Amino acid sequence: MEDKTARMLDFDAVKKELCRYALSEEAKAVIRNMKPCFQQQAVKQQMQETTEAKAILKKGNVPVHSMSGVTQMLDQFNRGVIFTPSQFEGILQFIQSGNRLKRFMKEKASFGPAVSNYAEVIHELEELEKAIATSIRNGGVDDHASKELAKIRKQIVVHEQRIKDMVNKIVHSSATRKYLQESFVSQRHGRYVIPVKKEYQKQIDGQVLDSSASGSTVYIEPKGVQKEQEKVLRLKTEEAMEVQRILSVLTGIAEAHEGELRSNAEILVHYDFVFAKAKYSKALDAHPVEIVDSSILDLKNARHPLLHREAKPLDIQLGERFRTLVITGPNTGGKTVALKTAGLLTVMALSGLHVPASEESRVGLFEHVFIDIGDGQDMEQSLSTFSSQMTNVIDMLTKVNRHSLVLLDELGAGTDPAEGMGLATAILERFNEKEAKTIATTHYNDIKSYANRHPDFENARMEFDLKTLMPLYRLTIGKPGESQAFQIARLLGLPPEVLEKAFEITYGTK
């Protein structure tokens, strides 16, 4: 389906709405790339998955993962990148989410046997899960990730405590207390220091490591603790090397499971996509429809999905008793909405979505959907509405076949009425000869008469209330519509003699 068709049918707008129900960017990308399918079994399967997912939603919240950062991490595999603890926590959450979803879908298999099958092949990755869970905690590498790391960190604690005791002894000594700015122990550049008044810095034996912004305080590392602090720094270097070694080993274990992780990612994205369709179906009060192996439409109580409750239900048939449906009626009477509803619901159904229509509805397989609707003026090419429509129609005529759905709004408008009517009739006949299924809106009376005589054509009208002068937005197939111009003019008070003259000019009789 061409991008222009998706836009004119509002299918892009539907996909935008559907994206609101997906959690992951990956599932939203799947939605944006969604296209109707021409394979009956594939469409039925997609529709069934949506139906089952909707049934499962009624049983509780589905633990679908948001996939935040997972794809980016997988793309770094085997590129010499060592993952950070926070990245490993993301991988762990991803594995655990997959396992939760697997258990959940197993419990709900009776409500959705088809959609639950995907969960059966989710890899549980117990080895990788255990390796990460025992090594990573609270955004860092856990002490017990290795015996060597535990040993190093224990030695660091012992030596740092010795330093604190030594420094505290100096701070609280009556002999040195008067030289201090404050009686507390501080750190500068990872080393323990004491705050000394600048004028007394020579009274404390040690090395100045820093000073205050005002310069009134200097931070001195007492000479007696320097040796211990060198040991701590050496141990912290060893700690950093051991942490890096552990992260490198974990990265290798994770990379060894890249295939399983990518497989799980695909499954979780698919579940996000399927349950987004189910949530959208619930929001629309939509239903599955029967997908039939022929190019027909039989929509019952169909509503345009973007008009929500404002949309009036329509019954639309095409392709069984007739191949071309000609819709007539007054302006703003709903002809264009009926046209777009037929096309949009067809595309939605063939994309595996539920549609806002009765479950008794049937949608056939259409290989192509062509549409020309609204004011198609092309300012860049200086094409008028009529020229733009003819350009589109000429392109359609080279592509249509018996599996095509053609939607034409006000065919032949924008030019001389007599010539426009002739062109419109000939074009509709040509589409019929190619066995395309066509819905066209028009104001031309001669086309309505032609449709009455032609065995492959059928008339339809949008109903109008002459008492209130308001459209009813109800489609009736089998009867042509009227413009109601004379009746509306009469009810609005146009003088009778003007109406009589208008009637005589139009129909050649009084």
Side-chain angles (χ1 to χ4, degrees):
M1 184 174 66
E2 296 180 356
D3 292 341
K4 180 178 70 173
T5 300
R7 185 177 64 256
M8 295 179 76
L9 274 179
D10 295 329
F11 189 47
D12 282 351
V14 165
K15 290 194 283 188
K16 186 176 180 179
E17 283 289 301
L18 179 55
C19 280
R20 294 175 50 229
Y21 296 93
L23 297 177
S24 66
E25 288 302 318
E26 291 82 358
K28 292 176 184 178
V30 172
I31 291 169
R32 285 189 285 267
N33 293 323
M34 186 171 58
K35 296 182 184 298
C37 179
F38 187 59
Q39 302 298 321
Q40 183 185 21
Q41 196 54 42
V43 177
K44 282 187 171 183
Q45 180 180 335
Q46 293 169 9
M47 185 77 71
Q48 180 63 23
E49 287 179 3
T50 308
T51 301
E52 292 184 359
K54 189 175 180 180
I56 290 172
L57 278 178
K58 295 178 181 178
K59 304 301 175 182
N61 294 325
V62 183
V64 176
H65 192 263
S66 67
M67 298 292 294
S68 177
V70 172
T71 300
Q72 292 83 348
M73 284 188 286
L74 292 176
D75 289 340
Q76 293 182 37
F77 276 180
N78 297 302
R79 292 189 178 184
V81 177
I82 296 176
F83 288 169
T84 64
S86 62
Q87 287 176 312
F88 278 114
E89 286 184 330
I91 293 174
L92 180 62
Q93 290 172 7
F94 171 64
I95 294 171
Q96 292 172 340
S97 292
N99 291 337
R100 281 196 299 272
L101 184 59
K102 184 172 185 175
R103 292 191 296 270
F104 178 87
M105 295 307 297
K106 186 176 181 180
E107 293 171 0
K108 302 297 185 290
S110 59
F111 303 103
V115 78
S116 296
N117 282 338
Y118 297 107
E120 293 182 6
V121 292
I122 290 177
H123 300 278
E124 296 185 8
L125 298 168
E126 294 176 352
E127 177 195 2
L128 179 56
E129 180 184 10
K130 182 179 179 181
I132 297 174
T134 56
S135 300
I136 306 297
R137 188 169 298 175
N138 300 323
V141 177
D142 188 72
D143 293 356
H144 302 289
S146 74
K147 290 182 179 179
E148 183 63 20
L149 183 63
K151 176 184 174 183
I152 292 170
R153 287 181 172 172
K154 185 176 181 180
Q155 290 178 333
I156 289 173
V157 170
V158 169
H159 286 286
E160 284 189 334
Q161 188 58 50
R162 285 180 185 172
I163 293 169
K164 289 178 184 178
D165 291 344
M166 294 170 67
V167 174
N168 277 322
K169 187 176 180 180
I170 296 172
V171 167
H172 294 99
S173 168
S174 57
T176 58
R177 190 178 302 163
K178 60 184 177 180
Y179 304 134
L180 303 182
Q181 192 72 268
E182 293 179 89
S183 298
F184 68 84
V185 178
S186 182
Q187 277 191 318
R188 289 293 186 275
H189 314 299
R191 304 172 78 97
Y192 287 92
V193 294
I194 55 177
V196 179
K197 297 175 183 177
K198 184 178 180 181
E199 60 268 26
Y200 295 121
Q201 70 181 71
K202 294 185 181 296
Q203 304 299 320
I204 302 294
D205 192 9
Q207 182 179 1
V208 176
L209 297 185
D210 201 1
S211 62
S212 65
S214 65
S216 61
T217 303
V218 292
Y219 296 94
I220 297 177
E221 178 185 56
K223 184 177 182 180
V225 303
Q226 289 177 353
K227 188 175 182 180
E228 286 294 329
Q229 295 212 119
E230 291 299 331
K231 290 179 182 179
V232 170
L233 290 176
R234 188 187 74 250
L235 286 168
K236 287 191 173 181
T237 300
E238 292 176 9
E239 177 193 27
M241 292 175 63
E242 179 63 10
V243 165
Q244 197 69 358
R245 185 192 70 79
I246 292 167
L247 293 175
S248 179
V249 170
L250 281 178
T251 299
I253 296 172
E255 288 177 339
H257 293 283
E258 179 182 1
E260 296 100 312
L261 287 166
R262 287 192 181 277
S263 175
N264 283 4
E266 289 178 8
I267 295 170
L268 265 62
V269 168
H270 184 69
Y271 271 124
D272 190 8
F273 168 60
V274 170
F275 281 105
K277 292 195 297 179
K279 293 169 189 173
Y280 187 47
S281 172
K282 182 180 178 181
L284 284 179
D285 191 22
H287 302 95
V289 296
E290 183 182 356
I291 304 299
V292 298
D293 190 17
S294 58
S295 300
I296 64 103
L297 269 184
D298 182 16
L299 298 174
K300 296 179 172 63
N301 293 317
R303 294 177 288 109
H304 194 290
L306 300 180
L307 297 179
H308 305 291
R309 299 298 177 186
E310 298 174 12
K312 303 295 183 181
L314 303 170
D315 291 346
I316 304 171
Q317 292 87 42
L318 182 68
E320 291 184 304
R321 293 188 297 107
F322 49 86
R323 286 200 287 262
T324 302
L325 182 65
V326 177
I327 303 177
T328 48
N331 287 330
T332 69
K335 299 190 301 296
T336 302
V337 171
L339 192 77
K340 294 177 77 169
T341 299
L344 180 54
L345 267 58
T346 297
V347 170
M348 288 176 65
L350 295 181
S351 300
L353 296 174
H354 287 177
V355 300
S358 167
E359 288 193 54
E360 288 73 38
S361 300
R362 294 177 296 149
V363 174
L365 299 175
F366 290 96
E367 188 176 4
H368 302 290
V369 178
F370 299 100
I371 184 170
D372 185 89
I373 197 167
D375 185 358
Q377 291 190 63
D378 190 326
M379 302 306 291
E380 292 184 3
Q381 299 185 33
S382 299
L383 295 178
S384 67
T385 301
F386 174 74
S387 298
S388 177
Q389 185 182 72
M390 287 302 105
T391 300
N392 290 338
V393 166
I394 291 167
D395 181 59
M396 293 177 194
L397 286 171
T398 65
K399 298 175 180 177
V400 297
N401 57 33
R402 62 192 300 266
H403 300 298
S404 299
L405 176 62
V406 180
L407 306 167
L408 302 167
D409 191 31
E410 300 294 352
L411 181 60
T415 188
D416 176 80
E419 292 183 356
M421 184 279 299
L423 280 169
T425 305
I427 289 167
L428 291 176
E429 179 55 43
R430 184 61 172 162
F431 281 129
N432 180 62
E433 290 172 359
K434 288 177 171 281
E435 299 185 46
K437 312 307 181 292
T438 305
I439 302 178
T441 68
T442 185
H443 283 290
Y444 291 132
N445 282 323
D446 287 350
I447 294 180
K448 293 185 281 186
S449 300
Y450 185 82
N452 271 335
R453 299 191 304 268
H454 200 295
D456 294 333
F457 282 53
E458 182 60 278
N459 276 305
R461 71 184 183 195
M462 300 304 299
E463 299 290 353
F464 189 83
D465 190 335
L466 284 175
K467 292 182 179 179
T468 62
L469 300 183
M470 295 294 291
L472 298 175
Y473 304 106
R474 186 169 62 239
L475 180 67
T476 300
I477 294 178
K479 295 180 180 180
E482 302 293 340
S483 70
Q484 310 294 352
F486 291 159
Q487 291 90 332
I488 292 172
R490 178 177 60 81
L491 289 170
L492 290 174
L494 190 69
E497 62 272 18
V498 177
L499 278 171
E500 290 174 7
K501 187 64 176 178
F503 191 88
E504 182 179 353
I505 292 171
T506 304
Y507 297 106
T509 182
K510 291 187 177 181

Short mmCIF file of all heavy atoms in Angstrom, two decimals, residues 74 76-79 81 83 88 91 95 123 125 127-128 131-132 247-262:
data_model
loop_
_atom_site.label_atom_id
_atom_site.label_comp_id
_atom_site.label_asym_id
_atom_site.label_seq_id
_atom_site.Cartn_x
_atom_site.Cartn_y
_atom_site.Cartn_z
N LEU A 74 22.31 -4.88 23.20
CA LEU A 74 22.56 -6.04 22.33
C LEU A 74 23.42 -5.65 21.14
O LEU A 74 24.24 -6.45 20.68
CB LEU A 74 21.22 -6.61 21.84
CG LEU A 74 20.35 -7.29 22.91
CD1 LEU A 74 19.01 -7.72 22.32
CD2 LEU A 74 21.05 -8.49 23.53
N GLN A 76 25.83 -3.70 21.17
CA GLN A 76 27.23 -3.52 21.60
C GLN A 76 27.94 -4.84 21.80
O GLN A 76 29.16 -4.84 22.06
CB GLN A 76 27.26 -2.71 22.90
CG GLN A 76 26.80 -1.26 22.75
CD GLN A 76 26.89 -0.49 24.05
OE1 GLN A 76 27.82 -0.68 24.84
NE2 GLN A 76 25.92 0.36 24.31
N PHE A 77 27.23 -5.94 21.68
CA PHE A 77 27.86 -7.25 21.88
C PHE A 77 28.98 -7.49 20.87
O PHE A 77 28.87 -7.11 19.70
CB PHE A 77 26.82 -8.35 21.77
CG PHE A 77 26.06 -8.62 23.05
CD1 PHE A 77 25.08 -9.59 23.10
CD2 PHE A 77 26.34 -7.91 24.20
CE1 PHE A 77 24.38 -9.84 24.27
CE2 PHE A 77 25.65 -8.15 25.37
CZ PHE A 77 24.67 -9.12 25.41
N ASN A 78 30.06 -8.14 21.38
CA ASN A 78 31.18 -8.56 20.53
C ASN A 78 31.82 -7.40 19.79
O ASN A 78 32.27 -7.53 18.64
CB ASN A 78 30.73 -9.64 19.54
CG ASN A 78 30.27 -10.90 20.25
OD1 ASN A 78 31.03 -11.51 21.01
ND2 ASN A 78 29.02 -11.30 20.02
N ARG A 79 31.85 -6.25 20.45
CA ARG A 79 32.53 -5.08 19.89
C ARG A 79 33.64 -4.59 20.81
O ARG A 79 34.10 -3.45 20.71
CB ARG A 79 31.53 -3.95 19.63
CG ARG A 79 30.54 -4.27 18.52
CD ARG A 79 29.72 -3.05 18.16
NE ARG A 79 28.79 -3.32 17.07
CZ ARG A 79 28.01 -2.40 16.52
NH1 ARG A 79 28.05 -1.15 16.96
NH2 ARG A 79 27.20 -2.72 15.54
N VAL A 81 33.36 -4.03 23.97
CA VAL A 81 32.82 -3.16 25.02
C VAL A 81 32.55 -3.99 26.27
O VAL A 81 31.90 -5.04 26.21
CB VAL A 81 31.51 -2.48 24.55
CG1 VAL A 81 30.92 -1.63 25.68
CG2 VAL A 81 31.76 -1.62 23.32
N PHE A 83 30.56 -4.20 29.65
CA PHE A 83 29.35 -3.59 30.18
C PHE A 83 29.53 -3.09 31.62
O PHE A 83 30.32 -3.64 32.39
CB PHE A 83 28.19 -4.58 30.14
CG PHE A 83 27.66 -4.85 28.76
CD1 PHE A 83 26.78 -5.88 28.53
CD2 PHE A 83 28.05 -4.06 27.69
CE1 PHE A 83 26.30 -6.14 27.25
CE2 PHE A 83 27.57 -4.29 26.42
CZ PHE A 83 26.69 -5.33 26.19
N PHE A 88 24.27 -4.29 33.25
CA PHE A 88 23.97 -5.67 33.66
C PHE A 88 22.65 -5.74 34.43
O PHE A 88 21.90 -6.71 34.30
CB PHE A 88 25.11 -6.25 34.48
CG PHE A 88 26.26 -6.77 33.66
CD1 PHE A 88 27.50 -6.17 33.70
CD2 PHE A 88 26.07 -7.84 32.79
CE1 PHE A 88 28.55 -6.65 32.92
CE2 PHE A 88 27.11 -8.32 32.01
CZ PHE A 88 28.36 -7.71 32.07
N ILE A 91 20.04 -5.89 31.84
CA ILE A 91 19.94 -7.22 31.25
C ILE A 91 19.23 -8.17 32.20
O ILE A 91 18.38 -8.98 31.79
CB ILE A 91 21.35 -7.77 30.89
CG1 ILE A 91 21.97 -6.94 29.77
CG2 ILE A 91 21.27 -9.24 30.47
CD1 ILE A 91 23.41 -7.31 29.44
N ILE A 95 15.82 -10.29 31.50
CA ILE A 95 15.69 -11.75 31.64
C ILE A 95 14.54 -12.09 32.58
O ILE A 95 13.70 -12.96 32.28
CB ILE A 95 17.01 -12.36 32.16
CG1 ILE A 95 18.13 -12.19 31.13
CG2 ILE A 95 16.82 -13.85 32.50
CD1 ILE A 95 19.50 -12.57 31.66
N HIS A 123 13.74 -18.05 26.27
CA HIS A 123 14.87 -18.69 26.96
C HIS A 123 14.96 -18.16 28.39
O HIS A 123 14.99 -16.95 28.61
CB HIS A 123 16.16 -18.40 26.20
CG HIS A 123 16.17 -18.90 24.79
ND1 HIS A 123 16.46 -20.20 24.45
CD2 HIS A 123 15.89 -18.26 23.62
CE1 HIS A 123 16.38 -20.34 23.13
NE2 HIS A 123 16.03 -19.18 22.60
N LEU A 125 17.49 -18.59 30.54
CA LEU A 125 18.84 -18.06 30.77
C LEU A 125 19.22 -18.09 32.24
O LEU A 125 19.67 -17.08 32.82
CB LEU A 125 18.94 -16.63 30.21
CG LEU A 125 18.72 -16.51 28.69
CD1 LEU A 125 18.56 -15.05 28.28
CD2 LEU A 125 19.88 -17.14 27.93
N GLU A 127 21.68 -19.58 33.83
CA GLU A 127 23.12 -19.39 34.12
C GLU A 127 23.47 -17.90 34.13
O GLU A 127 24.12 -17.40 35.05
CB GLU A 127 23.97 -20.10 33.07
CG GLU A 127 25.47 -19.88 33.26
CD GLU A 127 26.28 -20.28 32.04
OE1 GLU A 127 25.70 -20.70 31.02
OE2 GLU A 127 27.52 -20.14 32.10
N LEU A 128 23.02 -17.18 33.10
CA LEU A 128 23.33 -15.76 33.00
C LEU A 128 22.63 -14.98 34.11
O LEU A 128 23.22 -14.07 34.72
CB LEU A 128 22.91 -15.23 31.63
CG LEU A 128 23.15 -13.74 31.36
CD1 LEU A 128 24.61 -13.37 31.56
CD2 LEU A 128 22.69 -13.39 29.94
N ALA A 131 24.54 -15.56 37.32
CA ALA A 131 25.85 -14.90 37.30
C ALA A 131 25.72 -13.41 37.58
O ALA A 131 26.51 -12.83 38.34
CB ALA A 131 26.53 -15.13 35.94
N ILE A 132 24.72 -12.78 36.98
CA ILE A 132 24.53 -11.34 37.18
C ILE A 132 24.00 -11.07 38.58
O ILE A 132 24.48 -10.17 39.29
CB ILE A 132 23.57 -10.76 36.13
CG1 ILE A 132 24.17 -10.90 34.73
CG2 ILE A 132 23.28 -9.29 36.42
CD1 ILE A 132 23.23 -10.48 33.61
N LEU A 247 33.61 -7.79 35.50
CA LEU A 247 32.71 -7.25 34.48
C LEU A 247 33.05 -7.83 33.11
O LEU A 247 32.15 -8.10 32.30
CB LEU A 247 32.78 -5.73 34.45
CG LEU A 247 32.23 -5.00 35.68
CD1 LEU A 247 32.48 -3.49 35.56
CD2 LEU A 247 30.75 -5.29 35.88
N SER A 248 34.33 -8.03 32.86
CA SER A 248 34.75 -8.61 31.58
C SER A 248 34.27 -10.05 31.46
O SER A 248 33.78 -10.46 30.38
CB SER A 248 36.27 -8.54 31.47
OG SER A 248 36.70 -9.13 30.25
N VAL A 249 34.38 -10.80 32.55
CA VAL A 249 33.91 -12.20 32.54
C VAL A 249 32.39 -12.23 32.33
O VAL A 249 31.87 -13.03 31.53
CB VAL A 249 34.29 -12.91 33.85
CG1 VAL A 249 33.59 -14.27 33.94
CG2 VAL A 249 35.80 -13.09 33.93
N LEU A 250 31.67 -11.37 33.05
CA LEU A 250 30.21 -11.30 32.89
C LEU A 250 29.82 -10.92 31.47
O LEU A 250 28.86 -11.46 30.90
CB LEU A 250 29.62 -10.30 33.88
CG LEU A 250 29.44 -10.74 35.32
CD1 LEU A 250 28.88 -9.59 36.15
CD2 LEU A 250 28.52 -11.96 35.42
N THR A 251 30.57 -9.98 30.89
CA THR A 251 30.29 -9.59 29.52
C THR A 251 30.44 -10.77 28.58
O THR A 251 29.62 -10.98 27.68
CB THR A 251 31.22 -8.44 29.08
OG1 THR A 251 31.01 -7.30 29.94
CG2 THR A 251 30.97 -8.04 27.64
N GLY A 252 31.50 -11.56 28.80
CA GLY A 252 31.71 -12.75 27.97
C GLY A 252 30.58 -13.75 28.11
O GLY A 252 30.15 -14.35 27.11
N ILE A 253 30.10 -13.94 29.34
CA ILE A 253 28.97 -14.86 29.56
C ILE A 253 27.73 -14.35 28.84
O ILE A 253 27.00 -15.12 28.20
CB ILE A 253 28.69 -15.03 31.07
CG1 ILE A 253 29.90 -15.67 31.77
CG2 ILE A 253 27.44 -15.87 31.29
CD1 ILE A 253 29.77 -15.69 33.29
N ALA A 254 27.49 -13.05 28.95
CA ALA A 254 26.32 -12.47 28.28
C ALA A 254 26.43 -12.60 26.77
O ALA A 254 25.46 -12.96 26.09
CB ALA A 254 26.17 -10.99 28.68
N GLU A 255 27.61 -12.32 26.23
CA GLU A 255 27.81 -12.41 24.78
C GLU A 255 27.65 -13.83 24.28
O GLU A 255 27.21 -14.05 23.14
CB GLU A 255 29.19 -11.86 24.41
CG GLU A 255 29.27 -10.34 24.55
CD GLU A 255 30.66 -9.80 24.26
OE1 GLU A 255 31.65 -10.57 24.34
OE2 GLU A 255 30.76 -8.60 23.95
N ALA A 256 27.96 -14.81 25.13
CA ALA A 256 27.77 -16.20 24.74
C ALA A 256 26.29 -16.54 24.58
O ALA A 256 25.94 -17.52 23.91
CB ALA A 256 28.41 -17.12 25.79
N HIS A 257 25.42 -15.73 25.19
CA HIS A 257 23.98 -15.95 25.10
C HIS A 257 23.31 -14.90 24.20
O HIS A 257 22.10 -14.68 24.32
CB HIS A 257 23.36 -15.90 26.49
CG HIS A 257 23.79 -17.03 27.38
ND1 HIS A 257 23.29 -18.31 27.27
CD2 HIS A 257 24.70 -17.07 28.39
CE1 HIS A 257 23.85 -19.09 28.18
NE2 HIS A 257 24.72 -18.36 28.88
N GLU A 258 24.07 -14.27 23.33
CA GLU A 258 23.52 -13.22 22.47
C GLU A 258 22.32 -13.71 21.66
O GLU A 258 21.30 -13.03 21.55
CB GLU A 258 24.59 -12.66 21.52
CG GLU A 258 24.05 -11.58 20.61
CD GLU A 258 25.09 -11.06 19.62
OE1 GLU A 258 26.24 -11.56 19.63
OE2 GLU A 258 24.75 -10.16 18.83
N GLY A 259 22.46 -14.89 21.07
CA GLY A 259 21.37 -15.43 20.25
C GLY A 259 20.07 -15.57 21.02
O GLY A 259 19.00 -15.17 20.55
N GLU A 260 20.16 -16.14 22.24
CA GLU A 260 18.97 -16.32 23.07
C GLU A 260 18.38 -14.97 23.50
O GLU A 260 17.16 -14.80 23.53
CB GLU A 260 19.29 -17.16 24.30
CG GLU A 260 19.71 -18.60 23.98
CD GLU A 260 21.21 -18.77 24.03
OE1 GLU A 260 21.92 -17.93 23.44
OE2 GLU A 260 21.67 -19.74 24.67
N LEU A 261 19.27 -14.02 23.84
CA LEU A 261 18.79 -12.70 24.26
C LEU A 261 18.06 -11.99 23.12
O LEU A 261 17.02 -11.36 23.32
CB LEU A 261 19.96 -11.85 24.76
CG LEU A 261 20.54 -12.24 26.13
CD1 LEU A 261 21.89 -11.57 26.36
CD2 LEU A 261 19.58 -11.86 27.25
N ARG A 262 18.62 -12.08 21.91
CA ARG A 262 17.97 -11.44 20.76
C ARG A 262 16.63 -12.13 20.45
O ARG A 262 15.66 -11.46 20.10
CB ARG A 262 18.89 -11.49 19.54
CG ARG A 262 20.07 -10.54 19.63
CD ARG A 262 20.79 -10.39 18.30
NE ARG A 262 21.92 -9.49 18.41
CZ ARG A 262 21.83 -8.15 18.33
NH1 ARG A 262 20.64 -7.59 18.14
NH2 ARG A 262 22.90 -7.39 18.43
#
